[in-house]
Amino acid sequence: MRPRYFPLALCASLLCLCRSYTLRSSVSWVVSSNDVDVEDADLSEEAAPALLVDGAGLWKANVFGDRLETPGLREQVEPESGEAAQLSSRLFSYPLEKVKKSGGSSFPPPHQETARTARYIAHYSDWGHLATISTQDKIRGVPFGNIFSVSDGPLDNSTGVIYFYVTPMDNTVTDLKSNPYASLTFSEAEGDFCRQMVYDPEDPRCARLTLTGKMVEVAPEELAFAKEAMFSRHPVMAKWPVGHKWFFLKMDLIQVWLQDWIGGVSVIPLEEYFKATPF
């Protein structure tokens, strides 16, 4: 081959290699050369995320109509239509190994078991959003939210009581000195369930739990357990600088609020909440 034709041959080779991909919003959707023409498929922004399937080592979650399909979860699976299977087999989503695994049970309890669902979320959540009434000058008296690492016990011992490891240097701790009441919110979107089911975090089926109560310092007789609860789940905390004067708080609950399905919310009696188990 003459040298002057080499660049043209190289470009032609690259084009041949790339013809099996289409780029949509900077995401490559793999298309087999043996499948039907990609132009025949509906790969709009609305349709593409709904066709997430398993090839080899990829998880599957298909959305057609009101049914969301993932075997063994909250809803029964309906057989995939031939047309849907043909189209969805040409698309891919996130590898399963990159999705966070919950510490114990892989999937949440049935949505009808509200107390158990609340305990499940409280136990397997590693962090939550704490809302206080601010004492900061520019926003004094209005809500202020902050993220905190939390634990209701080691992975094999759930108490339902939420523990915190905090420093007086934190604005939230300053707020709590003025008003000790706060609300702590968790989302099931932290784990893998909502992602596998292709639920938006605001979808009612992607459960949300808000615990409201009084934040109190952990008593000396409870410190050993609070330390085990926090450090077993967040081991880096044991190495945080002592100069920040870290100490343990817990929330004495006054309300458990849960939305885990369509059609309203549940305010779970404290007795039922503490009687339930997440396991």
Side-chain angles (χ1 to χ4, degrees), residues 190-247:
E190 179 189 341
D192 61 353
F193 176 74
C194 296
R195 191 175 185 182
Q196 287 194 348
M197 297 297 288
V198 201
Y199 288 158
D200 185 87
E202 200 170 334
D203 189 310
R205 296 165 295 185
C206 185
R208 284 166 273 171
L209 173 68
T210 297
L211 304 177
T212 302
K214 184 178 182 181
M215 301 289 286
V216 298
E217 191 166 352
V218 174
E221 61 271 18
E222 200 176 348
L223 277 175
F225 182 81
K227 183 176 181 179
E228 180 187 6
M230 290 301 298
F231 291 1
S232 65
R233 303 281 292 271
H234 308 280
V236 70
M237 286 181 166
K239 300 179 181 179
W240 284 358
V242 295
H244 287 212
K245 300 180 179 179
W246 301 94
F247 65 101

Side-chain angles (χ1 to χ4, degrees), residues 28-97:
S28 296
W29 301 88
V30 173
V31 180
S32 170
S33 59
N34 295 325
D35 286 321
V36 295
D37 193 304
V38 70
E39 298 301 327
D40 296 334
D42 178 12
L43 293 180
S44 64
E45 295 293 341
E46 293 75 22
L51 301 171
L52 308 178
V53 301
D54 189 26
L58 302 179
W59 57 260
K60 173 179 180 180
N62 295 323
V63 184
F64 294 98
D66 294 328
R67 304 288 295 184
L68 286 95
E69 305 173 7
T70 300
L73 301 183
R74 285 180 174 164
E75 296 199 20
Q76 294 296 318
V77 179
E78 292 180 353
E80 196 176 55
S81 68
E83 181 182 355
Q86 182 182 31
L87 178 58
S88 63
S89 66
R90 297 160 50 215
L91 306 179
F92 73 95
S93 185
Y94 309 98
L96 181 61
E97 60 269 20

Side-chain angles (χ1 to χ4, degrees), residues 6-278:
F6 181 75
L8 292 176
L10 180 61
C11 290
S13 299
L14 290 174
L15 288 173
C16 290
L17 289 173
C18 296
R19 66 184 179 183
S20 293
Y21 290 83
T22 60
L23 291 180
R24 304 192 61 81
S25 301
S26 300
V27 177
S28 296
W29 301 88
V30 173
V31 180
S32 170
S33 59
N34 295 325
D35 286 321
V36 295
D37 193 304
V38 70
E39 298 301 327
D40 296 334
D42 178 12
L43 293 180
S44 64
E45 295 293 341
E46 293 75 22
L51 301 171
L52 308 178
V53 301
D54 189 26
L58 302 179
W59 57 260
K60 173 179 180 180
N62 295 323
V63 184
F64 294 98
D66 294 328
R67 304 288 295 184
L68 286 95
E69 305 173 7
T70 300
L73 301 183
R74 285 180 174 164
E75 296 199 20
Q76 294 296 318
V77 179
E78 292 180 353
E80 196 176 55
S81 68
E83 181 182 355
Q86 182 182 31
L87 178 58
S88 63
S89 66
R90 297 160 50 215
L91 306 179
F92 73 95
S93 185
Y94 309 98
L96 181 61
E97 60 269 20
K98 291 186 179 180
V99 181
K100 176 186 173 184
K101 291 291 185 182
S102 298
S105 178
S106 298
F107 300 108
H111 69 88
Q112 300 92 337
E113 299 182 23
T114 54
R116 187 177 166 213
T117 298
R119 286 291 301 273
Y120 174 93
I121 296 172
H123 182 59
Y124 289 115
S125 295
D126 291 326
W127 58 273
H129 175 274
L130 191 71
T132 56
I133 300 300
S134 179
T135 56
Q136 300 176 54
D137 290 339
K138 291 187 178 181
I139 56 171
R140 186 178 299 274
V142 301
F144 174 73
N146 204 351
I147 299 296
F148 283 90
S149 298
V150 298
S151 172
D152 83 328
L155 278 175
D156 61 351
N157 184 9
S158 169
T159 65
V161 177
I162 309 299
Y163 294 94
F164 303 76
Y165 191 51
V166 298
T167 169
M169 302 169 67
D170 195 305
N171 284 121
T172 297
V173 176
T174 302
D175 295 345
L176 292 172
K177 291 179 180 178
S178 176
N179 183 345
Y181 292 93
S183 289
L184 176 67
T185 299
F186 301 108
S187 172
E188 205 170 36
E190 179 189 341
D192 61 353
F193 176 74
C194 296
R195 191 175 185 182
Q196 287 194 348
M197 297 297 288
V198 201
Y199 288 158
D200 185 87
E202 200 170 334
D203 189 310
R205 296 165 295 185
C206 185
R208 284 166 273 171
L209 173 68
T210 297
L211 304 177
T212 302
K214 184 178 182 181
M215 301 289 286
V216 298
E217 191 166 352
V218 174
E221 61 271 18
E222 200 176 348
L223 277 175
F225 182 81
K227 183 176 181 179
E228 180 187 6
M230 290 301 298
F231 291 1
S232 65
R233 303 281 292 271
H234 308 280
V236 70
M237 286 181 166
K239 300 179 181 179
W240 284 358
V242 295
H244 287 212
K245 300 180 179 179
W246 301 94
F247 65 101
F248 293 94
L249 289 178
K250 70 175 183 178
M251 177 178 281
D252 281 346
L253 294 179
I254 59 176
Q255 179 176 281
V256 177
W257 180 100
L258 175 73
Q259 180 162 25
D260 70 338
W261 202 246
I262 299 167
V265 301
S266 302
V267 177
I268 303 167
L270 296 184
E271 182 179 358
E272 293 183 15
Y273 172 80
F274 285 113
K275 189 182 297 184
T277 173

